[in-house]
Amino acid sequence: MTAYFRKQRATAKNDVLAGITVSLAMIPEVVAFAFVAQIDPLVALSGAFIIGLITAIFGGRPGLISGAAGAVAVIFVTMIAEGHTKGMLFDQPIDNMGYFYLLACVILMGVIQIGAGVFKLGRFVRLIPHSVMMGFVNGLAIVIFWAQVKMFTHKKVAVSKDGVKEYISTYMQGEELYMMIGLVALTMLIIWLLPKLTKKIPASLTAILITTFIVVFSGIEVNTVGSYIIEGGGTGLKGEFPTPNMELWQNLPFNMDTLTFILPFAFLAASVGLIESLMTLNLVDELTETRGNGNKECIAQGAGNIMSGLFGGTGGCGMIGQTVININAGGRGRLSGIMTALTLLTFILFTDKLIEQVPIAALVGVMFMMVIETFAWSSFRIMRKIPKTDAFVLVIVSAVTVIYDLAIAVFVGVIISALVFAWENAKKIRARKRVKEDGTKVYEIWGPLFFGSITAFNDKFDAKNDPDRVEIDFVESRVSDHSALEAIFNLVEKYEAEGKSIKLKHLSEDCKELLYKASPKFREVIIEDIDDPRYHLAADPERFTKSLSEYKL
């Protein structure tokens, strides 16, 4: 019992320190996403707190960190701009109408995600191939790396003629650039070296504190969290405790026009958010050799987004970068995510002036080390050892993640993998032919019979030249779907049209039942056997019977 409590105390210490580290690394990323979506940074930080707290308590994966993520923020950019325009066309024009559309969209996004969890769609993440997972990790590592490179810039806010804010970035130069590189390198060196000396204190948090103390006490002029927020058009980190946003109900018109406007954005954001969250869940499963609950995570993500929208925050999802930092810092339990959210709130309410002094270089150094940890370097080593199709999928998913979007990359990877699987299995259909003493020709079918192998299956038979009695034995085959049953039905029709007798052996109960319903004559065609296989068929009985009836007509 004493050993158990000691273990729990050690785990709690790791979770608390890891949570503090993650919250510090989260601030610049969340603020950057706020600038992308053209919303107040405090809106994004409030959303990160609410979503992070709810998913940490109720989510399906302890150790997974959620917040206002860029993959979701990018989706809202167009909607917010169009929402501002729609607001100015009202009978009584409303400023900042895009913000109220954002809150409604985030709430609807959460409802969709809860629906996905209730209908257990989260389990489909298990169908994502390993090559897609590696491509996703590599692509996301490159995206995060490039996002940190952009931190070596200064932003200037310019307002266009249409009143739209535009951010012009210029890269650092001279002494300022060298100082930034030096502090980033120092942070990375501490994170690399400290675990070799002791593992009792988290390396990332220690590196952030040491770099911050050096900057504060030496008076070095560098880019800090406070200056970064102000450069982007914010007023600082100081905020208030999130409360229900009553202006949403006063200003937002609840009608079909609003629903049709926000629904496409809400569906896309919900899809992207769930894909990133579930992929991150899969990654944590691999890193910790445990298993999370995808459906439970879907519901928690949805609940977090609904509450965030009601309390005036933006939408979010699982954040792979911060999750990897948390795992590497020793965060394994729910306390790490709770601590991240509460520390973020503490920064906003009480310690904003202190956090604003943290140099961006320290946080960039932490993120660079996270990128090194996240990138699947083994993919270079195994590229020549795995099938060429898997290597192709890995590269494609990485490229699409970088160029387009995470959700598109995963869909592309899964589709390519599924097509390759179908093609490879389609080539495995075989037919061994022999003739019995009584002159009956026997076709012994080997391999899966499904939509992809139908053409090859039909090519095995010669109805015109075969003898009068034919027997098809499916003992080493598996009839998998509706298309396979159609092929069998058509083959029997073809032999009977030639006036020949045909028998079918070793079909499963599902196959026999569907064929009996399609035509009573199959009771004479199919040979019943105690050795008939038992497996279920991916076909709708009513649709199959109806389609064959139409075929006969």
Side-chain angles (χ1 to χ4, degrees):
M1 199 69 175
T2 305
Y4 171 79
F5 282 112
R6 281 180 183 170
K7 184 179 179 181
Q8 292 298 106
R9 188 169 59 188
T11 303
K13 184 201 77 173
N14 291 338
D15 285 346
V16 169
L17 294 176
I20 295 172
T21 306
V22 172
S23 61
L24 285 168
M26 184 184 287
I27 290 173
E29 187 169 348
V30 171
V31 170
F33 296 153
F35 293 152
V36 169
Q38 298 185 12
I39 58 177
D40 189 329
L42 290 173
V43 171
L45 290 169
S46 296
F49 158 67
I50 296 169
I51 296 169
L53 183 63
I54 291 176
T55 54
I57 297 173
F58 302 107
R61 175 67 267 179
L64 190 151
I65 304 298
S66 298
V72 174
V74 172
I75 296 169
F76 297 137
V77 175
T78 304
M79 186 198 69
I80 292 172
E82 292 180 6
H84 288 323
T85 304
K86 287 174 71 72
M88 298 309 294
L89 297 176
F90 289 168
D91 295 335
Q92 295 180 346
I94 301 175
D95 286 334
N96 204 25
M97 191 62 205
Y99 170 61
F100 298 118
Y101 279 121
L102 169 66
L103 300 186
C105 184
V106 170
I107 294 171
L108 183 56
M109 166 188 172
V111 172
I112 294 171
Q113 290 178 326
I114 288 179
V118 169
F119 289 105
K120 302 187 182 301
L121 301 183
R123 61 188 173 185
F124 287 108
V125 73
R126 305 294 176 188
L127 297 178
I128 296 175
H130 187 66
S131 56
V132 175
M133 188 69 188
M134 290 186 75
F136 154 78
V137 169
N138 288 352
L140 212 54
I142 296 169
V143 170
I144 295 172
F145 172 80
W146 184 244
Q148 303 316 304
V149 171
K150 292 179 180 178
M151 294 292 183
F152 288 79
T153 62
H154 286 293
K155 291 184 175 65
K156 293 182 181 179
V157 181
V159 181
S160 65
K161 294 180 180 179
D162 300 329
V164 179
K165 287 183 179 180
E166 295 179 354
Y167 296 93
I168 302 173
S169 299
T170 56
Y171 280 94
M172 298 176 181
Q173 295 180 349
E175 185 178 338
E176 182 185 25
L177 176 61
Y178 301 142
M179 186 61 67
M180 179 80 169
I181 294 173
L183 292 173
V184 169
L186 173 64
T187 304
M188 295 176 70
L189 180 64
I190 294 171
I191 295 173
W192 175 75
L193 188 60
L194 189 61
K196 299 180 183 299
L197 303 176
T198 178
K199 294 185 178 180
K200 292 185 177 181
I201 53 177
S204 297
L205 181 58
T206 305
I208 292 172
L209 293 175
I210 291 175
T211 307
T212 301
F213 288 148
I214 291 173
V215 170
V216 171
F217 290 109
S218 65
I220 301 172
E221 289 290 332
V222 294
N223 207 7
T224 62
V225 171
S227 64
Y228 180 78
I229 294 174
I230 292 170
E231 273 186 10
T235 57
L237 199 59
K238 181 66 176 176
E240 299 176 349
F241 190 87
T243 56
N245 192 300
M246 302 310 297
E247 292 183 357
L248 170 65
W249 313 108
Q250 297 168 3
N251 295 317
L252 187 72
F254 291 91
N255 51 38
M256 285 302 298
D257 180 64
T258 298
L259 180 62
T260 54
F261 175 60
I262 66 173
L263 182 59
F265 297 102
F267 181 79
L268 183 58
S271 302
V272 170
L274 286 183
I275 289 172
E276 183 156 359
S277 299
L278 293 174
M279 293 290 278
T280 304
L281 182 146
N282 252 5
L283 179 63
V284 177
D285 285 356
E286 290 185 9
L287 292 174
T288 61
E289 297 182 352
T290 57
R291 184 164 181 173
N293 186 323
N295 296 316
K296 192 175 179 181
E297 186 64 32
C298 291
I299 294 173
Q301 292 287 338
N305 279 302
I306 289 174
M307 294 303 295
S308 179
L310 291 173
F311 281 74
T314 187
C317 62
M319 303 178 74
I320 187 170
Q322 280 62 36
T323 299
V324 171
I325 292 173
N326 182 51
I327 297 299
N328 290 340
R332 294 290 189 276
R334 296 188 183 277
L335 183 58
S336 60
I338 295 171
M339 196 64 196
T340 297
L342 294 179
T343 306
L344 201 58
L345 181 64
T346 304
F347 293 160
I348 297 171
L349 298 179
F350 308 113
T351 60
D352 53 298
K353 296 301 178 186
L354 293 176
I355 302 305
E356 286 176 2
Q357 297 180 58
V358 174
I360 289 293
L363 304 178
V364 171
V366 171
M367 296 302 287
F368 275 160
M369 291 301 290
M370 182 276 300
V371 167
I372 295 172
E373 290 283 342
T374 302
F375 194 91
W377 300 101
S378 61
S379 57
F380 293 115
R381 187 181 70 254
I382 66 172
M383 195 69 76
R384 294 183 178 180
K385 299 179 181 179
I386 61 177
K388 292 181 180 179
T389 52
D390 285 347
F392 175 73
V393 168
L394 194 158
V395 173
I396 285 294
V397 172
S398 299
V400 175
T401 301
V402 173
I403 298 170
Y404 293 103
D405 180 74
L406 163 68
I408 295 174
V410 173
F411 279 126
V412 168
V414 170
I415 290 170
I416 294 175
S417 298
L419 290 174
V420 169
F421 176 81
W423 177 257
E424 292 298 324
N425 278 274
K427 296 189 295 184
K428 293 180 180 178
I429 194 78
R430 296 284 187 273
R432 187 168 62 184
K433 306 167 189 176
R434 60 186 176 87
V435 179
K436 290 182 177 180
E437 293 181 359
D438 62 359
T440 302
K441 187 173 184 179
V442 179
Y443 288 88
E444 294 181 355
I445 307 301
W446 297 61
L449 184 58
F450 68 111
F451 67 91
S453 59
I454 295 303
T455 303
F457 172 75
N458 288 329
D459 290 342
K460 308 295 181 187
F461 301 94
D462 187 359
K464 287 185 178 181
N465 299 318
D466 276 346
D468 292 338
R469 292 194 297 270
V470 174
E471 184 180 294
I472 304 176
D473 192 345
F474 293 90
V475 66
E476 296 294 340
S477 179
R478 186 185 181 101
V479 181
S480 301
D481 59 7
H482 184 140
S483 299
L485 285 174
E486 290 267 11
I488 294 172
F489 185 91
N490 294 339
L491 187 64
V492 171
E493 292 280 309
K494 188 183 295 184
Y495 272 97
E496 290 184 344
E498 295 289 335
K500 298 177 181 180
S501 170
I502 183 170
K503 300 292 182 182
L504 306 178
K505 287 182 65 177
H506 293 121
L507 288 171
S508 72
E509 289 299 322
D510 278 3
C511 296
K512 288 186 285 187
E513 183 180 346
L514 289 174
L515 289 171
Y516 291 157
K517 285 183 178 180
S519 175
K521 70 180 179 183
F522 276 96
R523 295 191 179 277
E524 300 176 3
V525 171
I526 296 174
I527 301 174
E528 297 278 356
D529 197 304
I530 59 172
D531 294 330
D532 284 346
R534 296 180 180 181
Y535 55 79
H536 292 291
L537 194 70
D540 181 0
E542 292 185 6
R543 289 183 62 187
F544 174 71
T545 307
K546 183 179 178 182
S547 67
L548 290 189
S549 299
E550 291 174 350
Y551 173 82
K552 289 164 66 178
L553 291 173

